[in-house]
Amino acid sequence: MTGPRYPDLIAALPETVPFVGPEVQERARGALFKARLGANESVFGPSPFAIAAIQDEAAEVWKYADPSHLDLKGALAAKMACAPENILIGEGIDGLLGYLVRLLVAPGDAVVTSDGAYPTFNYHVNGYGGVLHKIPYAGDHENLGGLIEKAAEVDAKLIYLANPDNPMGTWHSGAAIEAALDSLPDGCVLALDEAYIEFAPEGTAPRIDPEDDRVVRLRTFSKAYGMAGARIGYAISAAPVIRAFDKIRNHFGMNRMALAGALAALQDTEWLEEVLRLTEDARGEIARIAEANGLTTLPSATNFVAVDCGRDGDFARAVLAGLIDRGVFVRMPFVAPQDRCIRISAGRSEDLAVLEETLPAALAAARETVSA
């Protein structure tokens, strides 16, 4: 026998990835998208100061980045009212989730998430041999109490919760999360994904002692800060938990330009406020376009809007396919009944003008091809 000898776990995994990127779809359709509204990137871009910092650092790219990430950790610690020892920098929330699962989950260990929640977490759990236990959403919200009950039932090591939620845009109050921690089973850690927290109403972020080792909070520069391509995020937890990551993380995984850009972006609060204003305006415009076409939208605490297509998942998939055929990149939830929706990212006025032009035809085509 020649060739690699894959472990049984790896050999048994399906040959799938969590997401098909828009570039893959563009190659398949032989044309670029007119409006890129599917990946919840910030089309408004990063702070001009972040761009300048990245450009200035480019000449130093021959050097490895400081593996301690001390400058950015110090700035984040000041923002989060904690110590630098409570901060871990990593390759976006996706990369940090991979480290977290590797740190805590051995083959056969139970992990709890919501059916239809962010699939990259599941991808990591499957890759390390964990056993996923999923519970349904409750009224388009992740069921916080149900997640904790299931964790107690299966002796889970880890619970995943996104607040605000992706793909629905709904949210729990910070007070509800704080109260729920008291019922968290012993030895179970809450992975609290706060990728969209900057867009959320006041009071959505819980007040959690940074030395509380029951929680690992995950945040990113990919969304409100407009740096998705830089792949930089951070985790906040108790200092001993953060030190434990040093056993398994890629110490040279970050690049100098991303670190410099993130530090500059963090300091430019005026640009962040402008992005939040533009995003709020775009959410309102998406809701207006949906209503004009007889559709409804879910309230959103993110930079996207879940648009209820009014029927089932087959119909919503046909609407999505119609938009893609007409040059509008969007995505949708995977699991019923949330898959009655399509998910549209906040866009510029020119992006949303394309959406407004193409949505009626996409809906008409879906109604012709999908029986009522």
Side-chain angles (χ1 to χ4, degrees):
M1 178 181 179
T2 61
R5 293 178 291 172
Y6 297 107
D8 291 344
L9 168 63
I10 303 304
L13 291 173
E15 293 184 1
T16 58
V17 295
F19 297 106
V20 177
E23 294 83 3
V24 175
Q25 297 182 53
E26 286 175 333
R27 287 192 291 270
R29 63 191 296 270
L32 299 178
F33 285 115
K34 301 173 186 175
R36 182 169 167 141
L37 300 172
N40 306 335
E41 302 145 324
S42 175
V43 298
F44 310 116
S47 156
F49 293 107
I51 295 172
I54 291 168
Q55 292 171 334
D56 288 345
E57 196 64 28
E60 304 300 316
V61 76
W62 61 274
K63 303 175 185 174
Y64 291 112
D66 172 9
S68 72
H69 311 141
L70 195 57
D71 290 344
L72 183 57
K73 280 186 176 182
L76 287 167
K79 170 183 168 64
M80 298 299 298
C82 64
E85 291 76 19
N86 296 117
I87 304 284
L88 171 71
I89 309 296
E91 302 91 324
I93 287 181
D94 289 354
L96 290 166
L97 285 171
Y99 291 143
L100 179 60
V101 172
R102 182 181 177 189
L103 186 67
L104 296 181
V105 178
D109 284 344
V111 176
V112 172
T113 187
S114 301
D115 194 12
Y118 190 51
T120 301
F121 176 72
N122 304 351
Y123 176 81
H124 289 307
V125 172
N126 289 331
Y128 286 108
V131 179
L132 282 164
H133 297 266
K134 302 177 183 178
I135 69 163
Y137 277 62
D140 294 324
H141 288 72
E142 291 196 65
N143 185 346
L144 178 56
L147 290 167
I148 292 174
E149 289 176 8
K150 177 59 73 171
E153 175 189 329
V154 301
D155 189 26
K157 279 191 170 180
L158 191 59
I159 296 172
Y160 175 83
L161 173 73
N163 192 54
D165 175 64
N166 178 15
M168 304 312 292
T170 52
W171 67 100
H172 294 282
S173 71
I177 294 174
E178 294 164 27
L181 291 179
D182 292 333
S183 56
L184 200 67
D186 288 344
C188 183
V189 171
L190 175 65
L192 182 59
D193 184 339
E194 297 180 315
Y196 300 92
I197 197 68
E198 288 86 3
F199 302 105
E202 187 72 25
T204 303
R207 293 171 295 180
I208 299 173
D209 186 336
E211 288 296 340
D212 190 333
D213 60 5
R214 300 172 298 174
V215 183
V216 176
R217 303 173 79 159
L218 302 151
R219 295 192 175 188
T220 186
F221 287 89
S222 294
K223 306 301 180 184
Y225 290 100
M227 294 179 59
R231 308 312 304 129
I232 185 162
Y234 58 103
I236 309 102
S237 193
V241 175
I242 298 300
R243 285 198 303 273
F245 279 98
D246 282 338
K247 299 178 180 180
I248 51 94
R249 74 178 174 93
N250 181 358
H251 290 252
F252 290 99
M254 302 307 304
N255 72 77
R256 299 182 65 92
M257 292 180 288
L259 290 166
L263 183 59
L266 193 67
Q267 295 166 342
D268 190 355
T269 56
E270 289 185 7
W271 179 253
L272 178 61
E273 290 170 1
E274 175 69 1
V275 168
L276 299 184
R277 183 190 67 78
L278 291 168
T279 300
E280 184 176 6
D281 290 348
R283 289 191 310 224
E285 181 67 0
I286 293 168
R288 184 194 67 77
I289 293 168
E291 183 178 0
N293 284 274
L295 308 179
T296 59
T297 56
L298 275 63
S300 175
T302 65
N303 70 337
F304 62 84
V305 176
V307 176
D308 190 334
C309 293
R311 288 168 56 176
D312 62 5
D314 288 341
F315 181 73
R317 276 184 284 276
V319 175
L320 179 142
L323 287 171
I324 288 176
D325 287 344
R326 291 163 177 80
V328 180
F329 168 57
V330 292
R331 284 183 173 145
M332 64 181 289
F334 301 117
V335 175
Q338 284 69 46
D339 68 349
R340 72 189 190 280
C341 299
I342 58 173
R343 191 196 68 189
I344 302 174
S345 302
R348 301 161 299 182
S349 58
E350 55 265 41
D351 300 317
L352 299 182
V354 175
L355 174 67
E356 185 170 24
E357 177 186 349
T358 55
L359 182 57
L363 285 166
R367 292 178 183 127
E368 287 183 5
T369 58
V370 180
S371 59

